[in-house]
Amino acid sequence: MISNHHVGADALQKFGDKNKNYLRDGFYARSQAEEKRCLDLELNVLMSIEDVTTRVNAAVKSEMTVEQAFLARRAVMAEIEKESLDKTGLRSDVVTLYQGGQYHLYRFKKYTDVRLVFAPEQQIAFYGGDPDNFEYPRFDLDICLFRVYENDRPAKLQHYLKWSEAGVSENELVFVSGHPGRTSRLFTVAELEYVRDQRLPYALERLHGLEVLLSSYSARSDENARRAKEDLFGVQNSRKAYIGELAGVLDPKLMEQKQAAEKKLRDAVAARPELKDAVGAWDRIAEAQKIIAENARRYNLLEVGHGFYSDLFGIARTLLRAADEKPKPNSERLREFGEAGLASLEFQLFSEKPIYDDLEQLTLADSLSFLAGKLGYMDPLVQKVLAGKPPQERASDLVRGTKLRDVAFRKKLYSEGRPAVDAARDPMIELARLIDADARAVRKTIETQSEAKQQAHAQISKARFALEGTSTYPDATFTLRLAYGAVKGYEENGAQIPFQTTLEGLYQRGEEHQNQPPFDIPPRWLKRKGRLNLNTPFNFVSTADIIGGNSGSPVINRDTEFVGIIFDGNIQSLVLDFAYTDKQARAVSVCSQSIIEALRKLYDAGALADELTGKTKRK
Amino acid sequence: MISNHHVGADALQKFGDKNKNYLRDGFYARSQAEEKRCLDLELNVLMSIEDVTTRVNAAVKSEMTVEQAFLARRAVMAEIEKESLDKTGLRSDVVTLYQGGQYHLYRFKKYTDVRLVFAPEQQIAFYGGDPDNFEYPRFDLDICLFRVYENDRPAKLQHYLKWSEAGVSENELVFVSGHPGRTSRLFTVAELEYVRDQRLPYALERLHGLEVLLSSYSARSDENARRAKEDLFGVQNSRKAYIGELAGVLDPKLMEQKQAAEKKLRDAVAARPELKDAVGAWDRIAEAQKIIAENARRYNLLEVGHGFYSDLFGIARTLLRAADEKPKPNSERLREFGEAGLASLEFQLFSEKPIYDDLEQLTLADSLSFLAGKLGYMDPLVQKVLAGKPPQERASDLVRGTKLRDVAFRKKLYSEGRPAVDAARDPMIELARLIDADARAVRKTIETQSEAKQQAHAQISKARFALEGTSTYPDATFTLRLAYGAVKGYEENGAQIPFQTTLEGLYQRGEEHQNQPPFDIPPRWLKRKGRLNLNTPFNFVSTADIIGGNSGSPVINRDTEFVGIIFDGNIQSLVLDFAYTDKQARAVSVCSQSIIEALRKLYDAGALADELTGKTKRK
């Protein structure tokens, strides 16, 4: 199984300790016995899709209030998922498509024994660091290889992609199968205005603070840097993505297009009496969005957890809520506690991944200050949360006082339920309890208004299907999508950017920057440069329609051969969140040839290269 | 003249270009002819202080509205300054003490021909970088030596400090003369709450964004890093200071002390009929603070310039306003255009300091986005400012379109006044014009309310003088203050932190961090380590009452000998903004001995060391 190094980073980071930094230094298992089992990595393979729109919509009666409708919809979705799980044993998720226009049941086969086979040094996987992130041309070997096990033996898989040793040529048609996370192309103008005026400014404010916090913590020592690397990368990556998105919605041209398209559709709907249900949908979305806007800050702070940035707090809340939710009938639980998802939730909850007290205290104290700044220090809930102490002291007391870093203790509380959770008097659980009523209340408000939007979007989708068919595809939902595009360079500031780079380009870039971080080339790559064919293609771009979540997507040619792996989009691709364009927006991939070249000539991993290219089958 | 490297950094940075980085690499003038004249560095030496409280207060009549009072006070202050300038030829500033309790006229002799003699590498001046900033123990040679000229010859100065080659010993009494910038010890509880709930969260939000922006720009290339270094240091330094201050006001204990002290004073005032004027003063401050709170965001964005982070914009606004203000009578002008300060203003305005278009575009675009996020994208003023373009495009058009990087052009517009400024149709000046009415209006609101607070503070001060005499000293105002303290270590987390460090400690710290940035020791220091007496004291701490602005303050012993130079305070010292404590708060200094040791043994600057220690007089 191949993915990006930055996708595997979480797993890599969890192996490491003060003496061994696999994330930074890489890893290669010379034999199967050396393959390292990941602590809590779960892979899901899509097995089937079933349209359950009719059944989901049938559960919602016209006389229901929006809140009742939300509960009914949540109940029927949990019911469908549970039935499917019981029947097939497969992970089963009901997915909302077209912002509520359709509901599909996705079934996944789960693999939880995933072992690391190979990872390069992070410095070549993420060559150019934050400055080159979301940029092109690029020179990154952003890959990571795993082997999937079942019953302690390598899984026997029927379907897999053959490896192309030829790579791509310019203008070639390629396909990308992946899990784009979230797009907002079907958003109404009111929703886009919210994104522009509130969601992105708030998100950036928070990320800027975290980036400064984690960067200065990391600068204190190598060990700090190792501990925070994964979080910091995530923060920087999101920050850059949001800046690109903000640039999109701050472009009056894009908003004018959206306004014109919305007006055209509204006019067409108004002209067709049979579509009258949809006439008021845009206004209903705007109204719901207004209420969401008023509650979003509180929701993010209390429910999403922006006021409590701490793994231990997350564990505490899961235990507290599990004790409340599990005794309820499946259909009445908070969605994440539905039967169909419990196994995955437990897999995470009982992970032995390391928790660093200093980092926990740092992020918790910082987020408590953020909470106080946003809700107001004198807010009664803030006063209760701080308990008469400065944020640093409160965070330190909580982290030092909790027993939740002990996985056995978590298991005990989880299995014994509420009496044990209550009796534990664990300070972190008590903190979660302190805010739970408020957090649930604001979540209910947000969920109810989201349901209202969803109903209105369903009406718009129905109208759009009637007018245009399903020529528009749904917004991304982290589920599988097959995209396609051409391998193609582009023009930027008057210059033509070529469709691919070579290994030689890497060394040139290193020289231009005197081999200084983040443009330093790893020692192995410097020492063994002479072995490489420097003309080997390294990275390439295509016009495939991707977005965050597509990291690790294979790129295949018309013979279904693996020619590369997506690891980024250029900065111009971030506008794809709101509208597709192939003018400058490009998906960035590692070429299949450079992977083999590096494995053979730099990493002494010829055996692995042989296995990948089908020359041998590894024992 | 000795100061800190980080104080001289602005001057150092302005010398550099793509090929020569004096800020990073240091500088030593081996002869007087090699001394480098600073582009726009102005030194002011305090010559006299005169109490003008009676005259200032006499200008304000009891029947005046607050707004009239503000204008009358501004007018009499400008009048006093102008009279003094005309009479003495000295720079003359009326300074507001005790938040309005007293007014003093300060006269300064100005030196504008200041030449660089010596600066070490920035890496040893700021050893440990941001992680060690505001921390102790420290190992920094944060110094910079200049020579002051008059009539193209070294100025002849009567008074100067003798150099101590013995340094300090533990518990020794020391004195510090310097210019602490701003403290808030006389703030009422309402004002402190504003600092806690609004001023600091806003300031940190803005600084976090700028730190991320400038860091990622700097990471792209060495040249970028050089261009942005000064700005980035300022941002990181303020960020760390504000975090320390925020921790202070988020400590319930400090606020309880403040509340108790305020109650005690209010009760004492209420009990003394002759102090009845002051009874309502606290409420009047709270009311004014409320209006300030409502207007602060707009004031910061439009008037302070947080929405227009660009040197070119600053120049544009100065030219626009100079054309409006200079024709007015001196007493009616905006304070910065008063006759007494014009020479200094012109010195800055006509500086040949380099302006980097890419950095200007970057910060201007970012601050325009910040403006849109804070005032709302649809705010009519924001719409006018953006002129139908995305922020990046607008910023790029403005920076590329303006002619203000040409100093001769600035001089022409400044001297020809309004007709020339209007006729220029310079896009940056037109932008300044676009927001000028709004910026002036919100400034007026803030200034009027500040006057109201000042009147109330004057009443409180009068009452406090009556009750306690002048045993409390005024809040810091960037004017000269003589502080004192003991050379003394402190306890932290159970460990005793010694009062001084040695050169040996520097090398140990470097080793602990594998000599990795920001803990890398400059090559010269590594190569010549053998020459040094490693027991030489390097940095020391004292309990002197300092705050930001004290950087570069000489520390002198009871024989008035120079024993060191303040360059920082520890993180615990940041609470000194609100209250004095000698428990852990410490001022951090470079020891006089380490300066001489480094000059002689590392920098081949024995001649300079001889001159400093009075062994020779340099030609």
Side-chain angles (χ1 to χ4, degrees), chain A residues 342-385:
Chain A
L342 273 190
S344 298
L345 181 141
E346 290 161 14
F347 189 59
Q348 288 300 320
L349 180 61
F350 303 141
S351 166
E352 288 283 359
K353 75 166 193 157
I355 289 176
Y356 303 106
D357 283 7
D358 62 335
L359 189 53
E360 286 279 300
Q361 286 181 31
L362 182 84
T363 57
L364 184 56
D366 181 74
S367 53
L368 290 176
S369 292
F370 185 71
L371 178 81
K374 288 289 150 202
L375 290 190
Y377 181 75
M378 294 312 294
D379 179 283
L381 189 64
V382 172
Q383 285 293 306
K384 277 201 290 178
V385 163

Short mmCIF file of all heavy atoms in Angstrom, two decimals, chain A residues 342-385:
data_model
loop_
_atom_site.label_atom_id
_atom_site.label_comp_id
_atom_site.label_asym_id
_atom_site.label_seq_id
_atom_site.Cartn_x
_atom_site.Cartn_y
_atom_site.Cartn_z
N LEU A 342 -18.50 2.28 16.37
CA LEU A 342 -17.88 2.12 17.70
C LEU A 342 -16.50 1.44 17.65
O LEU A 342 -15.60 1.81 18.39
CB LEU A 342 -18.80 1.33 18.63
CG LEU A 342 -19.84 2.15 19.40
CD1 LEU A 342 -20.50 1.28 20.46
CD2 LEU A 342 -19.23 3.39 20.06
N ALA A 343 -16.37 0.46 16.78
CA ALA A 343 -15.09 -0.26 16.74
C ALA A 343 -13.96 0.69 16.37
O ALA A 343 -12.88 0.67 16.99
CB ALA A 343 -15.18 -1.42 15.74
N SER A 344 -14.20 1.56 15.40
CA SER A 344 -13.17 2.52 15.01
C SER A 344 -12.90 3.51 16.14
O SER A 344 -11.75 3.88 16.40
CB SER A 344 -13.60 3.28 13.75
OG SER A 344 -13.75 2.39 12.68
N LEU A 345 -13.96 3.95 16.80
CA LEU A 345 -13.79 4.87 17.93
C LEU A 345 -12.95 4.24 19.03
O LEU A 345 -12.04 4.87 19.58
CB LEU A 345 -15.18 5.26 18.45
CG LEU A 345 -15.26 6.24 19.62
CD1 LEU A 345 -16.42 7.20 19.42
CD2 LEU A 345 -15.39 5.53 20.96
N GLU A 346 -13.22 2.98 19.33
CA GLU A 346 -12.45 2.29 20.37
C GLU A 346 -10.99 2.10 19.96
O GLU A 346 -10.08 2.21 20.77
CB GLU A 346 -13.09 0.93 20.69
CG GLU A 346 -14.43 1.10 21.40
CD GLU A 346 -15.31 -0.16 21.34
OE1 GLU A 346 -14.80 -1.24 20.99
OE2 GLU A 346 -16.52 -0.03 21.62
N PHE A 347 -10.80 1.84 18.69
CA PHE A 347 -9.43 1.65 18.17
C PHE A 347 -8.60 2.91 18.45
O PHE A 347 -7.44 2.83 18.87
CB PHE A 347 -9.52 1.37 16.66
CG PHE A 347 -8.23 0.95 16.03
CD1 PHE A 347 -7.55 -0.19 16.45
CD2 PHE A 347 -7.69 1.68 14.97
CE1 PHE A 347 -6.36 -0.59 15.84
CE2 PHE A 347 -6.51 1.29 14.36
CZ PHE A 347 -5.84 0.16 14.80
N GLN A 348 -9.19 4.06 18.25
CA GLN A 348 -8.50 5.33 18.54
C GLN A 348 -8.36 5.57 20.04
O GLN A 348 -7.32 5.96 20.53
CB GLN A 348 -9.28 6.51 17.93
CG GLN A 348 -9.22 6.61 16.42
CD GLN A 348 -7.81 6.76 15.89
OE1 GLN A 348 -7.00 7.49 16.48
NE2 GLN A 348 -7.48 6.06 14.81
N LEU A 349 -9.47 5.34 20.76
CA LEU A 349 -9.50 5.65 22.20
C LEU A 349 -8.47 4.85 22.97
O LEU A 349 -7.90 5.33 23.95
CB LEU A 349 -10.91 5.37 22.73
CG LEU A 349 -11.18 5.63 24.20
CD1 LEU A 349 -10.95 7.10 24.56
CD2 LEU A 349 -12.61 5.22 24.57
N PHE A 350 -8.23 3.62 22.53
CA PHE A 350 -7.31 2.75 23.28
C PHE A 350 -5.92 2.70 22.64
O PHE A 350 -5.13 1.80 22.92
CB PHE A 350 -7.90 1.34 23.41
CG PHE A 350 -9.25 1.34 24.07
CD1 PHE A 350 -10.26 0.49 23.64
CD2 PHE A 350 -9.51 2.20 25.13
CE1 PHE A 350 -11.51 0.51 24.24
CE2 PHE A 350 -10.76 2.22 25.74
CZ PHE A 350 -11.76 1.38 25.29
N SER A 351 -5.63 3.65 21.77
CA SER A 351 -4.31 3.69 21.15
C SER A 351 -3.24 3.96 22.21
O SER A 351 -3.43 4.75 23.12
CB SER A 351 -4.28 4.79 20.10
OG SER A 351 -2.95 5.06 19.73
N GLU A 352 -2.10 3.28 22.03
CA GLU A 352 -0.97 3.49 22.96
C GLU A 352 -0.10 4.65 22.50
O GLU A 352 1.04 4.78 22.93
CB GLU A 352 -0.12 2.22 23.05
CG GLU A 352 -0.76 1.07 23.81
CD GLU A 352 -0.71 1.23 25.34
OE1 GLU A 352 -0.16 2.24 25.82
OE2 GLU A 352 -1.26 0.35 26.03
N LYS A 353 -0.62 5.47 21.64
CA LYS A 353 0.23 6.55 21.11
C LYS A 353 0.73 7.43 22.25
O LYS A 353 0.01 7.68 23.22
CB LYS A 353 -0.52 7.37 20.07
CG LYS A 353 -1.54 8.32 20.62
CD LYS A 353 -1.95 9.30 19.53
CE LYS A 353 -2.72 10.44 20.15
NZ LYS A 353 -2.71 11.66 19.37
N PRO A 354 1.98 7.89 22.16
CA PRO A 354 2.54 8.67 23.27
C PRO A 354 1.84 10.01 23.45
O PRO A 354 1.40 10.62 22.48
CB PRO A 354 4.00 8.88 22.84
CG PRO A 354 4.04 8.65 21.38
CD PRO A 354 2.92 7.72 21.04
N ILE A 355 1.74 10.41 24.70
CA ILE A 355 1.17 11.72 25.03
C ILE A 355 2.25 12.47 25.80
O ILE A 355 2.81 11.93 26.75
CB ILE A 355 -0.10 11.54 25.87
CG1 ILE A 355 -1.22 10.98 24.98
CG2 ILE A 355 -0.52 12.86 26.51
CD1 ILE A 355 -2.49 10.66 25.71
N TYR A 356 2.57 13.67 25.38
CA TYR A 356 3.66 14.43 25.99
C TYR A 356 3.09 15.50 26.91
O TYR A 356 2.43 16.43 26.45
CB TYR A 356 4.54 15.05 24.90
CG TYR A 356 5.09 14.01 23.95
CD1 TYR A 356 4.60 13.87 22.66
CD2 TYR A 356 6.08 13.12 24.38
CE1 TYR A 356 5.09 12.89 21.81
CE2 TYR A 356 6.57 12.13 23.53
CZ TYR A 356 6.07 12.02 22.26
OH TYR A 356 6.55 11.05 21.42
N ASP A 357 3.38 15.36 28.19
CA ASP A 357 2.78 16.27 29.16
C ASP A 357 3.11 17.74 28.88
O ASP A 357 2.26 18.61 29.02
CB ASP A 357 3.25 15.91 30.58
CG ASP A 357 2.50 14.69 31.10
OD1 ASP A 357 1.74 14.09 30.32
OD2 ASP A 357 2.67 14.37 32.29
N ASP A 358 4.37 18.00 28.49
CA ASP A 358 4.73 19.41 28.28
C ASP A 358 3.95 20.01 27.12
O ASP A 358 3.45 21.13 27.20
CB ASP A 358 6.25 19.55 28.07
CG ASP A 358 6.74 18.81 26.83
OD1 ASP A 358 6.08 17.84 26.40
OD2 ASP A 358 7.79 19.20 26.29
N LEU A 359 3.82 19.23 26.05
CA LEU A 359 3.08 19.72 24.88
C LEU A 359 1.59 19.85 25.20
O LEU A 359 0.92 20.81 24.79
CB LEU A 359 3.32 18.76 23.71
CG LEU A 359 2.83 19.18 22.33
CD1 LEU A 359 3.35 20.55 21.93
CD2 LEU A 359 3.25 18.15 21.29
N GLU A 360 1.07 18.90 25.96
CA GLU A 360 -0.33 18.97 26.39
C GLU A 360 -0.59 20.25 27.20
O GLU A 360 -1.58 20.94 26.98
CB GLU A 360 -0.67 17.76 27.26
CG GLU A 360 -0.81 16.46 26.50
CD GLU A 360 -2.17 16.34 25.83
OE1 GLU A 360 -3.19 16.36 26.53
OE2 GLU A 360 -2.21 16.24 24.60
N GLN A 361 0.31 20.52 28.14
CA GLN A 361 0.14 21.72 28.97
C GLN A 361 0.21 22.98 28.13
O GLN A 361 -0.56 23.93 28.31
CB GLN A 361 1.22 21.78 30.05
CG GLN A 361 0.98 20.79 31.18
CD GLN A 361 2.04 20.89 32.26
OE1 GLN A 361 2.58 21.96 32.50
NE2 GLN A 361 2.33 19.79 32.92
N LEU A 362 1.16 22.98 27.20
CA LEU A 362 1.35 24.15 26.36
C LEU A 362 0.11 24.46 25.54
O LEU A 362 -0.40 25.58 25.53
CB LEU A 362 2.55 23.90 25.43
CG LEU A 362 2.93 25.04 24.50
CD1 LEU A 362 3.82 26.03 25.24
CD2 LEU A 362 3.64 24.52 23.25
N THR A 363 -0.39 23.44 24.84
CA THR A 363 -1.52 23.69 23.95
C THR A 363 -2.81 23.90 24.74
O THR A 363 -3.65 24.70 24.35
CB THR A 363 -1.72 22.53 22.94
OG1 THR A 363 -1.90 21.29 23.65
CG2 THR A 363 -0.53 22.40 22.02
N LEU A 364 -2.92 23.23 25.87
CA LEU A 364 -4.14 23.42 26.67
C LEU A 364 -4.16 24.83 27.27
O LEU A 364 -5.19 25.52 27.21
CB LEU A 364 -4.24 22.35 27.76
CG LEU A 364 -5.51 22.39 28.61
CD1 LEU A 364 -6.78 22.31 27.75
CD2 LEU A 364 -5.52 21.25 29.63
N ALA A 365 -3.05 25.27 27.82
CA ALA A 365 -2.99 26.62 28.40
C ALA A 365 -3.27 27.66 27.33
O ALA A 365 -4.04 28.60 27.53
CB ALA A 365 -1.62 26.87 29.03
N ASP A 366 -2.67 27.48 26.17
CA ASP A 366 -2.87 28.43 25.09
C ASP A 366 -4.33 28.47 24.64
O ASP A 366 -4.90 29.54 24.42
CB ASP A 366 -1.97 28.05 23.90
CG ASP A 366 -2.10 29.01 22.74
OD1 ASP A 366 -1.56 30.12 22.87
OD2 ASP A 366 -2.76 28.67 21.74
N SER A 367 -4.95 27.29 24.55
CA SER A 367 -6.33 27.28 24.08
C SER A 367 -7.29 27.78 25.15
O SER A 367 -8.33 28.35 24.83
CB SER A 367 -6.72 25.90 23.54
OG SER A 367 -6.46 24.89 24.48
N LEU A 368 -6.93 27.61 26.42
CA LEU A 368 -7.76 28.21 27.48
C LEU A 368 -7.71 29.74 27.42
O LEU A 368 -8.72 30.41 27.60
CB LEU A 368 -7.31 27.72 28.86
CG LEU A 368 -7.58 26.25 29.21
CD1 LEU A 368 -6.98 25.91 30.57
CD2 LEU A 368 -9.07 25.93 29.19
N SER A 369 -6.51 30.28 27.12
CA SER A 369 -6.40 31.74 26.95
C SER A 369 -7.22 32.18 25.74
O SER A 369 -7.88 33.22 25.77
CB SER A 369 -4.94 32.16 26.71
OG SER A 369 -4.17 31.95 27.85
N PHE A 370 -7.15 31.39 24.68
CA PHE A 370 -7.92 31.69 23.47
C PHE A 370 -9.43 31.70 23.79
O PHE A 370 -10.16 32.60 23.39
CB PHE A 370 -7.58 30.64 22.40
CG PHE A 370 -8.19 30.87 21.05
CD1 PHE A 370 -7.74 31.89 20.23
CD2 PHE A 370 -9.22 30.05 20.58
CE1 PHE A 370 -8.30 32.10 18.97
CE2 PHE A 370 -9.78 30.25 19.32
CZ PHE A 370 -9.32 31.27 18.52
N LEU A 371 -9.84 30.70 24.55
CA LEU A 371 -11.24 30.61 24.98
C LEU A 371 -11.65 31.87 25.74
O LEU A 371 -12.70 32.47 25.48
CB LEU A 371 -11.41 29.37 25.87
CG LEU A 371 -12.79 29.11 26.46
CD1 LEU A 371 -13.70 28.44 25.45
CD2 LEU A 371 -12.70 28.24 27.72
N ALA A 372 -10.80 32.27 26.70
CA ALA A 372 -11.10 33.45 27.51
C ALA A 372 -11.17 34.69 26.63
O ALA A 372 -12.04 35.54 26.80
CB ALA A 372 -10.05 33.62 28.61
N GLY A 373 -10.25 34.78 25.67
CA GLY A 373 -10.25 35.93 24.77
C GLY A 373 -11.49 35.99 23.91
O GLY A 373 -12.04 37.06 23.65
N LYS A 374 -11.98 34.84 23.47
CA LYS A 374 -13.10 34.81 22.53
C LYS A 374 -14.45 34.91 23.22
O LYS A 374 -15.35 35.58 22.73
CB LYS A 374 -13.06 33.52 21.70
CG LYS A 374 -11.95 33.49 20.68
CD LYS A 374 -12.23 34.44 19.54
CE LYS A 374 -10.95 34.97 18.94
NZ LYS A 374 -11.11 36.22 18.23
N LEU A 375 -14.63 34.19 24.33
CA LEU A 375 -15.93 34.26 25.02
C LEU A 375 -15.96 35.40 26.02
O LEU A 375 -17.03 35.79 26.48
CB LEU A 375 -16.21 32.94 25.76
CG LEU A 375 -16.49 31.71 24.90
CD1 LEU A 375 -16.97 30.56 25.76
CD2 LEU A 375 -17.52 32.01 23.81
N GLY A 376 -14.81 35.94 26.35
CA GLY A 376 -14.73 36.98 27.39
C GLY A 376 -14.36 36.33 28.71
O GLY A 376 -14.96 35.34 29.13
N TYR A 377 -13.36 36.94 29.35
CA TYR A 377 -12.83 36.37 30.59
C TYR A 377 -13.92 36.26 31.66
O TYR A 377 -13.90 35.32 32.47
CB TYR A 377 -11.70 37.28 31.07
CG TYR A 377 -11.01 36.83 32.33
CD1 TYR A 377 -10.12 35.76 32.30
CD2 TYR A 377 -11.22 37.50 33.52
CE1 TYR A 377 -9.46 35.37 33.45
CE2 TYR A 377 -10.55 37.12 34.68
CZ TYR A 377 -9.68 36.05 34.64
OH TYR A 377 -9.02 35.67 35.77
N MET A 378 -14.86 37.19 31.68
CA MET A 378 -15.87 37.18 32.74
C MET A 378 -17.06 36.29 32.40
O MET A 378 -17.97 36.17 33.22
CB MET A 378 -16.35 38.61 33.03
CG MET A 378 -15.26 39.50 33.64
SD MET A 378 -14.35 38.73 35.03
CE MET A 378 -15.68 38.60 36.24
N ASP A 379 -17.10 35.70 31.22
CA ASP A 379 -18.16 34.76 30.87
C ASP A 379 -18.22 33.70 31.97
O ASP A 379 -17.19 33.13 32.36
CB ASP A 379 -17.82 34.12 29.52
CG ASP A 379 -18.86 33.09 29.09
OD1 ASP A 379 -18.84 31.95 29.62
OD2 ASP A 379 -19.67 33.41 28.21
N PRO A 380 -19.42 33.42 32.50
CA PRO A 380 -19.51 32.49 33.64
C PRO A 380 -18.89 31.13 33.34
O PRO A 380 -18.24 30.53 34.21
CB PRO A 380 -21.02 32.36 33.87
CG PRO A 380 -21.63 33.55 33.22
CD PRO A 380 -20.73 33.98 32.11
N LEU A 381 -19.05 30.66 32.11
CA LEU A 381 -18.48 29.36 31.77
C LEU A 381 -16.94 29.42 31.79
O LEU A 381 -16.28 28.50 32.28
CB LEU A 381 -18.99 28.90 30.40
CG LEU A 381 -18.62 27.45 30.03
CD1 LEU A 381 -19.28 26.47 31.00
CD2 LEU A 381 -19.04 27.14 28.60
N VAL A 382 -16.39 30.51 31.27
CA VAL A 382 -14.94 30.68 31.28
C VAL A 382 -14.44 30.71 32.73
O VAL A 382 -13.43 30.07 33.07
CB VAL A 382 -14.52 31.97 30.54
CG1 VAL A 382 -13.04 32.26 30.73
CG2 VAL A 382 -14.87 31.87 29.06
N GLN A 383 -15.15 31.41 33.58
CA GLN A 383 -14.76 31.48 34.98
C GLN A 383 -14.77 30.09 35.62
O GLN A 383 -13.87 29.73 36.36
CB GLN A 383 -15.69 32.42 35.75
CG GLN A 383 -15.43 33.90 35.44
CD GLN A 383 -14.07 34.35 35.96
OE1 GLN A 383 -13.75 34.17 37.13
NE2 GLN A 383 -13.23 34.89 35.08
N LYS A 384 -15.79 29.31 35.29
CA LYS A 384 -15.84 27.93 35.82
C LYS A 384 -14.68 27.10 35.28
O LYS A 384 -14.04 26.34 36.00
CB LYS A 384 -17.17 27.26 35.43
CG LYS A 384 -18.32 27.60 36.37
CD LYS A 384 -19.45 26.54 36.29
CE LYS A 384 -20.18 26.62 34.95
NZ LYS A 384 -21.24 25.59 34.81
N VAL A 385 -14.41 27.26 33.99
CA VAL A 385 -13.34 26.47 33.37
C VAL A 385 -11.99 26.80 33.99
O VAL A 385 -11.19 25.91 34.28
CB VAL A 385 -13.32 26.71 31.83
CG1 VAL A 385 -12.02 26.25 31.22
CG2 VAL A 385 -14.51 26.01 31.17
#
